[in-house]
Amino acid sequence: MYLGVAYYPEHWDKRDWERDVRLMKEAGLNIVRLAEFAWSQIERTEGQFSFEWLDEVLDLLAKYGLKAIMCTPTAAPPPWLTHKHPSILPVDQNGVAMSPGSRRHYCPSSPIYREYAGNIVQQMANHVRDHDTVIGWQIDNEFGCSNTARCYCDNCLAAFREWLKRRYGNINALNEAWGTDFWSGIYNDWNEIPIPRKTTDPHHPGLLLDFYRFASDAVVEFQQLQVDIIKRVAPHHFVTHNMIASSQQIDYYDLTKGLDFASWDSYPKPELQPLRSEVRRVALWHDLFRGLKEKNFWLLEQRCSTSRAKGGYATPPEPGLARLWTYQAIAHGADGIVYFRWRAAKSGAEQCLGGVLSVDGRPTRAYDEIRQIGEELKILAPHLHATTVPTEAAITVSYPVQWAIALQPSLFGPGFSFHQHMSRYHRAFFDAAIPVGIVNPERELNKYKLVVAPALFLTNETILQNLYRYVEQGGILVVTARSGVKDWNNKAATSSLPGGLADLLKIRVDECDSLLDHGNEVETSIPGLSAQRYTCQTWCELLQPEGASVLARYTQGYFAGGAAITEAAYGKGRALYVGAEIAEERFYSGLIRWLAAEAGLRPLLSDPVDDVEAMRRIGSDTQLLFLLNFNLHEERTVNISTPHRSLLNDRLYASEVTLAPGGVEVLSPCQ
Ligand code: GAL
Ligand code: ZN
């Protein structure tokens, strides 16, 4: 287990360094992330490399027994480079080049930038490969942050055309795949294809989706060129990248393919009222980032101090929150946590952010909180070793599907958001204390017992085969509205909806309504939900069962009496279709609790308690139950079914655990 900080020693006087590292050591930290935006300091002018400062810092870390993660500094090309080669600057949809002077101001397709980036990475890797302190690398910083993954420059235009040539081979295959006969759009030559800069009316959805794929691939390629260099020079180092939750412009399954493990940067929002919804939001992201490689992950930035809130203003976290977020991450499978940042910045754009030390170099209360975690992890680390988060339930998420949904909002109800829709199901698992993974529908699903495939707007053969096979072999599947609508090229299915899923779900979608100026409700016979009516919002579909049985019907308008939710038996399994977006949280909780029981899933708590999150990590002979009380002001008591012992304080709990306000317990079952 690694616990550390993002450290920018290059901003501070050398005389402070040893004190810094000593304080880190005293807090129980064992890793430091270095050189993230330090290109200017390493290559002050072209070809003049200086590593003395870095060597000195690495030696100090070695002296105190800390390890280092190096960052490739490519998120911030230095002024001499953008001045010499302005063609590396990214261009927006209006065709305007971004100004240098901030960060992320580069085009990932630029051949010139790729060469310079490769060169600095090569120099750094050569330099540190034999330094025992260095154990791995973070590539770049937050690809796609501030919506920078999609560039509309001429480099990208040329690269996009090449990408399309590779994908389609000949121009008529492209015409056919996109359906370019619409609005006089048939291409005769690759050079006629535009990059989707601003248009008068909407661009072609086939071109747009492929452009999004291309842009994602360009970032993946840019990362891979760096990974290849590091793996060649320093095969004993791990490589990872700090992904973000706020931008979904890159296919993270592709981005993590070439990495040893996934990492992300977690900044729970300072304006977190109610805290419970923020806790559920962060839990979802942990589950998603773990799901990318279906294995443990790291946090390369964990907020522990004052951070930007809405509008960019600074807000401090309440005492105890940094500790709770840390344990929440570990409980969801984090094997390393790096706090952002060691010392508050004295210059630059982020002076509003706090640090573990304040700008005057004094330890803040974040330091005390982290030192407590450091102490606790000394006890927990051996137990956490080689444990993972087992899940028997999954929710599927696909990037092309999300992009296609965002591209044509008019095919959904006003305000429909894939993320929000998917989150409703995730929250239901969270509230029921059932660990869930968020996974790629293109990967094997058979190890799960319950799978929710929300709004699977596009499908391809792999996904269809996966879902059919999963149900056939006994799985329970929930598919939701707007599934099977289009093919993988973003062209409408020409068979009845839900397209390729119709034979599995045994229904036909007869009519759709985005509920613009009226509402609807459903009445259901689902056990536990049958006494009440539930409100439809943003979307409902009138279903015609073709072998499925009806679990809910509409009550209003001309949909009244028609099917809204269905269930079909298929092979040894069951396939449900929820044809409406329902507003009430208790609907999702009831549905998931019922299906989990049908699938034989055991929740971690028999009666989950509001504000308490339960998670479990398991190893070959270890079981760890995490209980986190996210109520910072009140105690919470939860029932546990068998006696457990606390690893933190050795207390024995027979059947009940009382958690202090903001309290954390890590328990192991008694033999
Ligand atoms: C992160 C970023 C850091 C810093 C931080 C401030 O997204 O990686 O460099 O900008 O936000 O909150
Ligand atoms: Zn570009």
Side-chain angles (χ1 to χ4, degrees):
M1 183 76 213
Y2 283 100
L3 196 69
V5 280
Y7 186 35
Y8 302 89
E10 66 275 23
H11 300 173
W12 299 99
D13 197 303
K14 273 183 187 195
R15 279 169 305 196
D16 291 348
W17 293 353
E18 181 144 13
R19 186 244 7 221
D20 283 346
V21 177
R22 199 186 58 243
L23 280 172
M24 292 173 193
K25 180 73 182 173
E26 284 169 12
L29 305 185
N30 52 13
I31 197 149
V32 165
R33 191 189 69 169
L34 288 174
E36 202 193 27
F37 299 107
W39 196 332
S40 262
Q41 285 87 346
I42 294 172
E43 192 181 6
R44 173 66 185 265
T45 54
E46 184 169 357
Q48 301 300 311
F49 295 92
S50 68
F51 289 104
E52 294 75 23
W53 66 275
L54 190 60
D55 290 337
E56 235 176 279
V57 175
L58 290 174
D59 288 343
L60 264 176
L61 293 173
K63 176 172 165 193
Y64 285 84
L66 278 78
K67 298 292 182 196
I69 299 176
M70 298 298 302
C71 299
T72 72
T74 52
W80 59 259
L81 178 48
T82 49
H83 181 68
K84 183 172 175 190
H85 294 290
S87 74
I88 71 170
L89 293 169
V91 168
D92 75 7
Q93 250 184 304
N94 296 307
V96 177
M98 295 291 113
S99 168
S102 179
R103 60 176 174 181
R104 302 222 55 74
H105 46 281
Y106 69 84
C107 161
S109 307
S110 156
I112 296 177
Y113 193 57
R114 287 186 177 192
E115 199 175 318
Y116 278 95
N119 190 37
I120 182 93
V121 173
Q122 178 83 47
Q123 294 286 340
M124 288 176 75
N126 285 346
H127 193 82
V128 302
R129 55 177 281 179
D130 296 322
H131 210 300
D132 291 344
T133 307
V134 178
I135 61 167
W137 293 78
Q138 168 187 311
I139 309 288
D140 204 281
N141 169 64
E142 298 188 344
F143 288 128
C145 176
S146 315
N147 292 333
T148 50
R150 294 176 191 144
C151 171
Y152 299 78
C153 78
D154 290 339
N155 293 317
C156 287
L157 171 60
F160 180 41
R161 289 175 179 158
E162 288 306 314
W163 184 94
L164 290 169
K165 269 186 218 168
R166 287 196 300 275
R167 187 173 178 86
Y168 295 105
N170 73 71
I171 198 81
N172 280 333
L174 174 147
N175 283 317
E176 174 59 29
W178 289 356
T180 51
D181 37 16
F182 187 76
W183 281 352
S184 184
I186 301 171
Y187 295 104
N188 292 319
D189 188 283
W190 302 102
N191 289 326
E192 294 167 0
I193 298 172
I195 197 155
R197 292 191 189 139
K198 212 162 177 326
T199 44
T200 42
D201 234 12
H203 223 302
H204 196 291
L207 178 141
L208 286 173
L209 183 60
D210 270 351
F211 175 68
Y212 284 9
R213 288 188 170 112
F214 153 78
S216 171
D217 283 1
V219 174
V220 173
E221 253 180 55
F222 179 71
Q223 174 180 260
Q224 193 60 39
L225 101 97
Q226 301 194 29
V227 171
D228 289 344
I229 293 168
I230 293 168
K231 288 290 179 188
R232 211 165 41 236
V233 178
H236 53 300
H237 291 168
F238 66 71
V239 287
T240 185
H241 170 72
N242 56 334
M243 289 171 282
I244 47 174
S246 58
S247 161
Q248 296 297 299
Q249 297 189 333
I250 300 161
D251 187 320
Y252 281 159
Y253 298 114
D254 292 344
L255 191 71
T256 46
K257 230 175 257 165
L259 302 176
D260 291 297
F261 52 84
S263 302
W264 75 288
D265 290 352
S266 176
Y267 287 87
K269 297 246 167 51
E271 65 280 15
L272 11 95
Q273 291 315 325
L275 184 53
R276 179 161 177 260
S277 58
E278 189 62 6
V279 170
R280 298 195 296 187
R281 191 182 71 82
V282 175
L284 181 151
W285 289 110
H286 287 316
D287 291 340
L288 182 140
F289 286 107
R290 189 185 64 248
L292 297 175
K293 288 180 88 74
E294 295 184 73
K295 69 183 214 189
N296 289 2
F297 60 94
W298 277 45
L299 284 187
L300 282 170
E301 292 177 21
Q302 166 65 64
R303 175 177 177 222
C304 65
S305 178
T306 297
S307 196
R308 273 182 295 232
K310 254 193 205 124
Y313 298 106
T315 321
E318 277 192 72
L321 272 178
R323 179 166 174 260
L324 278 165
W325 289 325
T326 302
Y327 279 103
Q328 186 186 27
I330 296 172
H332 281 263
D335 280 343
I337 296 188
V338 175
Y339 296 102
F340 189 85
R341 54 190 288 160
W342 176 247
R343 185 170 175 179
K346 68 176 183 323
S347 63
E350 294 193 326
Q351 290 167 67
C352 60
L353 305 181
V356 180
L357 304 193
S358 50
V359 73
D360 61 7
R362 274 181 312 119
T364 62
R365 67 180 164 80
Y367 181 84
D368 299 330
E369 223 170 287
I370 291 170
R371 187 168 52 190
Q372 181 188 347
I373 301 164
E375 286 297 314
E376 292 167 345
L377 284 182
K378 284 183 192 146
I379 306 169
L380 294 177
H383 300 279
L384 286 164
H385 181 73
T387 59
T388 56
V389 178
T391 49
E392 293 181 305
I395 299 173
T396 64
V397 165
S398 148
Y399 292 86
V401 168
Q402 290 185 69
W403 299 334
I405 290 175
L407 279 172
Q408 288 183 293
S410 57
L411 292 177
F412 298 80
F416 178 90
S417 129
F418 173 81
H419 186 78
Q420 222 178 0
H421 181 66
M422 179 266 286
S423 303
R424 292 175 186 279
Y425 288 90
H426 185 271
R427 286 197 292 262
F429 283 103
F430 180 99
D431 289 348
I434 298 172
V436 62
I438 297 181
V439 301
N440 188 348
E442 295 190 85
R443 290 204 198 127
E444 184 65 51
L445 296 168
N446 279 3
K447 62 178 166 215
Y448 300 105
K449 292 182 178 162
L450 174 57
V451 171
V452 179
L456 204 47
F457 189 50
L458 316 178
T459 57
N460 60 25
E461 268 316 300
T462 313
I463 293 177
L464 291 175
Q465 276 173 20
N466 257 352
L467 295 179
Y468 275 82
R469 193 175 337 118
Y470 164 73
V471 180
E472 183 161 23
Q473 296 182 4
I476 299 184
L477 174 70
V478 180
V479 176
T480 78
R482 298 269 77 191
S483 289
V485 176
K486 300 235 223 173
D487 69 14
W488 210 235
N489 297 316
N490 212 7
K491 211 163 70 175
T494 46
S495 58
S496 307
L497 297 189
L501 290 161
D503 292 341
L504 175 61
L505 297 159
K506 301 184 181 171
I507 50 164
R508 196 179 69 225
V509 177
D510 266 356
E511 288 204 52
C512 303
D513 186 350
S514 54
L515 299 170
L516 264 192
D517 50 4
H518 56 276
N520 214 326
E521 286 178 340
V522 299
E523 231 171 35
T524 163
S525 54
I526 292 172
L529 287 176
S530 52
Q532 285 148 329
R533 289 184 167 196
Y534 300 89
T535 322
C536 304
Q537 64 178 33
T538 74
W539 194 256
C540 59
E541 293 175 356
L542 186 61
L543 311 179
Q544 187 59 49
E546 293 188 332
S549 53
V550 178
L551 294 180
R553 294 184 185 278
Y554 295 104
T555 64
Q556 287 169 24
Y558 59 90
F559 276 27
I565 303 177
T566 57
E567 175 178 357
Y570 187 90
K572 294 186 202 145
R574 296 150 72 176
L576 284 82
Y577 189 78
V578 181
E581 180 158 70
I582 309 283
E584 291 85 3
E585 243 176 37
R586 59 192 155 77
F587 166 80
Y588 298 90
S589 293
L591 177 72
I592 292 305
R593 276 170 220 248
W594 170 56
L595 291 175
E598 296 286 295
L601 300 189
R602 292 225 5 227
L604 297 177
L605 301 174
S606 49
D607 8 75
V609 170
D610 270 3
D611 300 332
V612 175
E613 176 169 18
M615 276 302 280
R616 186 165 55 186
R617 283 179 66 149
I618 287 189
S620 52
D621 51 5
T622 327
Q623 274 203 43
L624 304 172
L625 177 65
F626 291 78
L627 296 174
L628 314 174
N629 177 11
F630 274 98
N631 192 314
L632 298 175
H633 309 288
E634 290 170 26
E635 287 187 343
R636 286 287 178 266
T637 299
V638 293
N639 295 322
I640 48 174
S641 45
T642 56
H644 280 67
R645 189 177 288 284
S646 166
L647 293 173
L648 287 172
N649 54 43
D650 213 37
R651 274 187 64 179
L652 182 71
Y653 297 101
S655 59
E656 229 182 53
V657 184
T658 297
L659 300 155
V664 170
E665 263 301 10
V666 185
L667 308 174
S668 161
C670 299
Q671 299 309 328

